[in-house]
Amino acid sequence: MALKESAAQQQPAVKAELKQIKQQFKTLFSKEKITNIGVCMYPFEETDPKFQKVAAVIAKNQQEKLPLGGYYNLDIPQFVKEGLYYYYVDIATQDPYAFNTDSLRYLSYAGLPDGNYRLHFEAESPYAENGLELQLQNGEIVKLESTKYTE
């Protein structure tokens, strides 16, 4: 995990939000094991206006000499809502392919923060993995699609 994500996840508000997200995913996937959860910035090109927005905030924070190179004070929940960052959830399971756009469509996401989620379902033996991207707004699915998992 890069310094910027590590710094962002040390914020009390982000820690509390990740704890809430983990609890809700433990409830949604009670037979599986949540192995990792966090927040990460999407990989934007440096010329992308979305990247420039985050870079401007970091530069301002650095000028003000804020902690951890200006990354600690980012408004991560707002950046997630704006699609600049996403939450990731790694889930260990016997059959990662049992979780797909059809099976996840009918779960209740009430209470989860708005934003994008990358879900990674993984089995150890035999090794297999499946990735899904989920976008939520007011507890409802806005987008749900299969994706290659990358953290």
Side-chain angles (χ1 to χ4, degrees), residues 109-123:
Y109 300 100
L112 282 168
D114 290 351
N116 295 328
Y117 294 77
R118 288 195 174 175
L119 308 180
H120 179 232
F121 298 93
E122 184 176 49

Side-chain angles (χ1 to χ4, degrees), residues 6-150:
S6 177
Q9 292 181 126
Q10 297 308 309
Q11 297 177 34
V14 175
K15 280 183 174 181
E17 196 163 68
L18 291 174
K19 183 177 179 180
Q20 172 198 357
I21 291 167
K22 185 173 186 175
Q23 283 305 112
Q24 290 199 252
F25 273 98
K26 278 183 174 182
T27 302
L28 287 171
F29 301 104
S30 59
K31 295 180 182 175
E32 305 347 291
K33 180 180 179 188
I34 308 299
T35 57
N36 195 18
I37 188 163
V39 64
C40 192
M41 186 171 145
Y42 277 104
F44 296 113
E45 295 293 324
E46 289 188 20
T47 56
D48 188 310
K50 288 182 176 182
F51 177 82
Q52 293 299 320
K53 180 177 182 172
V54 176
V57 173
I58 294 167
K60 180 181 174 276
N61 288 351
Q62 289 172 339
Q63 285 178 339
E64 295 174 10
K65 304 211 183 299
L66 294 177
L68 296 171
Y71 287 95
Y72 180 82
N73 296 72
L74 297 178
D75 187 352
I76 298 300
Q78 183 60 38
F79 284 170
V80 170
K81 287 178 187 174
E82 294 176 19
L84 304 170
Y85 277 70
Y86 61 89
Y87 300 110
Y88 60 86
V89 182
D90 295 338
I91 303 166
T93 180
Q94 294 290 328
D95 181 9
Y97 300 108
F99 302 97
N100 54 50
T101 55
D102 291 332
S103 66
L104 268 65
R105 187 167 311 284
Y106 302 104
L107 296 176
S108 172
Y109 300 100
L112 282 168
D114 290 351
N116 295 328
Y117 294 77
R118 288 195 174 175
L119 308 180
H120 179 232
F121 298 93
E122 184 176 49
E124 288 186 19
S125 182
Y127 182 79
E129 65 181 343
N130 184 28
L132 295 163
E133 185 157 339
L134 173 69
Q135 183 180 4
L136 298 177
Q137 187 173 11
N138 298 321
E140 299 291 325
I141 296 172
V142 175
K143 180 177 87 174
L144 176 60
E145 61 187 22
S146 293
T147 183
K148 274 280 201 200
Y149 178 80
T150 56

